Amino acid sequence: MKYDKAAEIFTSFLKSGKNRITPERFEVMDAALDYDGHFGADDLYIVMKNLNSRVSRATVYKTLELLVQCELLSKRNFGENITRYESNYKRQSHDHLICMDCGRIVEFVNQKVKKLPEEISQELEFEVSSYSFNIFARCKNIKTCKYYHGK
Amino acid sequence: MKYDKAAEIFTSFLKSGKNRITPERFEVMDAALDYDGHFGADDLYIVMKNLNSRVSRATVYKTLELLVQCELLSKRNFGENITRYESNYKRQSHDHLICMDCGRIVEFVNQKVKKLPEEISQELEFEVSSYSFNIFARCKNIKTCKYYHGK
DNA sequence: ATTGCTGCAAAACGTTTGCACCTAT
DNA sequence: ATAGGTGCAAACGTTTTGCAGCAAT
């Protein structure tokens, strides 16, 4: 199995609640971890459909939420009112810069950003759960933008 | 007029494009600046309806975007796939902590956060336009949460 | 046997659009 | 006069839901 470690995490998460272990859930997990980059629930559903999966849209939507709960996926929103997901599996945590000229989403890792949520939450007497930090910016010239590789 | 300074800003923004000065647009501006806290476009539409305004939903949606463009409003998203707006008028810029226990949205001002978007964008060779920083946290005990004031 | 999960289609939700009429310029 | 704005209702795209049948426990 390609994602045996992830399957183990997912299985023990499912067992810890009143959730059942079903083949459909693992089919969604595999497809989600296989997906390269950020995806909407429906994007994943289409990909699975094209691979002749018989898993329904409803199951895809529900399973993605479970995968977020057990932290195999992150939930993102880049200001378009669409929920996007991204695999956390074997990846380091990061944040995003969204280019308003060429549409690219650039990932970056910044230690100062990572420390702030904890610091601020403590000051306000909360316990951090997660955070989201997005920068909206412009590359000014698509032609010379080093992150742009074709439309 | 209650928001004469804002009206001036909005007017000169409208004139700078090929936009017309209409009473409907100023009606939306007044209602938006009057709104206490964060609101969705539809929330504002309902409030206006209840005050017997005859401005249409379509006009409300379109005008809010114009008000964001001229920076009288900020656009926010707290992870629910709903666009929310907030007045910038006579207010200092800030970020948000969303409590996952009691639902409160706590505003905070942190100088380190404010500096990061510029710093990171420069490093990546972009020009910042805006950013969003949300912390999702828990107050653990609604009863003792100093930000909680009733359901 | 029970309770939760599935697929399907319909509904819900926030938002955008097409269009005929109207109005600011 | 004309370009742009308006209200209305219909359409849109994403997400959720109700339900009958199915499957994991």
Side-chain angles (χ1 to χ4, degrees):
Chain A
M1 209 194 231
K2 192 167 176 187
Y3 299 111
D4 49 355
K5 182 78 185 147
E8 207 178 285
I9 294 169
F10 196 24
T11 301
S12 62
F13 165 78
L14 291 173
K15 284 187 178 162
S16 75
K18 56 205 165 177
N19 305 293
R20 289 185 182 168
I21 313 291
T22 70
E24 289 85 355
R25 287 177 169 171
F26 288 87
E27 230 186 285
V28 174
M29 184 197 82
D30 284 348
L33 298 186
D34 267 342
Y35 206 108
D36 185 23
H38 314 95
F39 58 94
D42 237 68
D43 299 334
L44 189 68
Y45 172 69
I46 301 299
V47 167
M48 292 178 71
K49 262 286 99 110
N50 290 342
L51 295 171
N52 296 311
S53 168
R54 251 165 276 99
V55 174
S56 71
R57 182 176 264 115
T59 298
V60 172
Y61 274 82
K62 287 171 186 162
T63 306
L64 289 173
E65 286 306 304
L66 296 171
L67 291 164
V68 170
Q69 282 173 43
C70 68
E71 298 182 308
L72 286 168
L73 298 182
S74 291
K75 210 173 186 169
R76 309 277 185 198
N77 183 304
F78 301 124
E80 305 160 277
N81 295 347
I82 297 171
T83 300
R84 297 194 186 285
Y85 299 89
E86 179 178 22
S87 171
N88 285 340
Y89 190 58
K90 292 182 177 167
R91 298 205 60 205
Q92 114 171 269
S93 81
H94 58 268
D95 297 287
H96 299 85
L97 179 149
I98 297 99
C99 180
M100 301 174 81
D101 287 329
C102 70
R104 295 290 111 174
I105 295 177
V106 180
E107 304 184 348
F108 63 84
V109 174
N110 181 295
Q111 298 308 325
K112 288 186 215 167
V113 174
K114 288 191 187 180
K115 282 177 194 137
L116 283 164
E118 179 61 40
E119 195 177 310
I120 294 165
S121 298
Q122 270 187 14
E123 248 171 62
L124 298 173
E125 295 172 29
F126 281 80
E127 199 174 73
V128 207
S129 167
S130 64
Y131 75 93
S132 97
F133 184 58
N134 292 323
I135 299 176
F136 300 94
R138 326 197 82 107
C139 63
K140 286 181 289 184
N141 189 339
I142 293 175
K143 291 192 180 70
T144 62
C145 174
K146 62 180 177 178
Y147 298 97
Y148 186 65
H149 307 292
K151 195 174 188 62
Chain B
M1 211 194 230
K2 194 167 176 185
Y3 298 111
D4 49 354
K5 182 79 186 147
E8 207 178 284
I9 293 168
F10 196 23
T11 301
S12 63
F13 166 78
L14 290 173
K15 284 188 178 164
S16 75
K18 57 206 164 175
N19 304 295
R20 292 188 179 163
I21 314 290
T22 69
E24 290 85 354
R25 287 177 169 169
F26 287 87
E27 229 186 287
V28 174
M29 184 198 83
D30 284 347
L33 298 186
D34 267 342
Y35 206 109
D36 185 24
H38 314 93
F39 58 92
D42 239 67
D43 299 333
L44 190 67
Y45 172 68
I46 301 299
V47 167
M48 292 178 70
K49 263 285 99 111
N50 290 341
L51 295 172
N52 295 310
S53 169
R54 249 164 278 102
V55 174
S56 71
R57 183 175 263 115
T59 298
V60 171
Y61 275 82
K62 286 171 187 165
T63 305
L64 289 173
E65 286 306 303
L66 295 172
L67 290 163
V68 170
Q69 283 174 44
C70 68
E71 299 181 305
L72 285 168
L73 299 181
S74 291
K75 211 172 184 168
R76 309 278 185 198
N77 184 302
F78 300 124
E80 306 160 277
N81 295 347
I82 298 172
T83 300
R84 296 196 186 284
Y85 299 89
E86 178 178 22
S87 170
N88 283 340
Y89 190 59
K90 293 182 174 166
R91 298 205 59 203
Q92 113 172 270
S93 81
H94 58 268
D95 296 288
H96 299 86
L97 179 149
I98 296 101
C99 180
M100 302 173 81
D101 287 328
C102 70
R104 294 289 110 173
I105 295 177
V106 180
E107 305 185 349
F108 62 84
V109 175
N110 182 294
Q111 297 308 325
K112 287 186 214 166
V113 173
K114 289 191 188 182
K115 282 177 194 136
L116 284 164
E118 179 61 40
E119 194 177 311
I120 294 165
S121 298
Q122 271 187 14
E123 248 171 61
L124 298 172
E125 294 172 29
F126 281 80
E127 200 174 73
V128 207
S129 167
S130 64
Y131 74 93
S132 96
F133 184 59
N134 292 323
I135 298 175
F136 299 95
R138 327 198 82 109
C139 63
K140 285 181 290 184
N141 190 339
I142 293 176
K143 290 191 183 69
T144 62
C145 175
K146 61 179 176 177
Y147 299 97
Y148 186 66
H149 307 291
K151 188 167 195 70

